[in-house]
């Protein structure tokens, strides 16, 4: 079975959080990113409480920072393999 992986920016609140939770509930692997790690952890917790089957990986930072974006992709790929 092929598991899809998504990257959700702004996953700490609002539409980003709702999108991340929906993808996790659908069984996707989801890389969560936003500036606040505590809010990203809350998103992952909410997804688990909703019965989400997907796996998440959280990394906080600023997506306007090119160095951070490169790190985000490298660590996300390292975590999920693709």
């Amino acid at each position: 079975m092929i598991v899809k992986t998504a990257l959700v920016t702004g996953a700490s609140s609002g539409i980003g959080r709702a999108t991340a939770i929906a993808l996790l509930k659908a069984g996707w692997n989801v890389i969560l990113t936003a500036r606040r790690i505590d809010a990203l952890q809350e998103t992952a917790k909410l997804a688990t409480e909703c019965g989400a089957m997907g796996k998440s990986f959280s990394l906080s930072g600023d997506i306007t920072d090119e160095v951070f974006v490169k790190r985000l992709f490298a660590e996300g790929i390292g975590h999920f393999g693709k």
Side-chain angles (χ1 to χ4, degrees):
M1 179 170 116
I2 296 174
V3 177
K4 296 180 180 182
T5 301
L7 167 66
V8 179
T9 62
S12 61
S13 64
I15 293 170
R17 176 176 274 174
T19 300
I21 290 172
L23 289 168
L24 288 163
K25 286 173 74 174
W28 287 52
N29 291 330
V30 181
I31 302 164
L32 307 171
T33 191
R35 292 184 179 163
R36 299 174 309 154
I37 190 66
D38 59 324
L40 291 174
Q41 292 167 339
E42 181 67 18
T43 297
K45 180 182 172 191
L46 290 169
T48 300
E49 290 172 354
C50 292
M53 299 301 292
K55 296 178 183 175
S56 66
F57 169 75
S58 300
L59 189 63
S60 64
D62 182 352
I63 63 165
T64 66
D65 177 354
E66 185 178 345
V67 173
F68 171 72
V69 172
K70 288 178 181 179
R71 178 177 160 219
L72 177 64
F73 274 85
E75 290 192 27
I77 290 168
H79 188 81
F80 289 121
K82 285 189 181 184

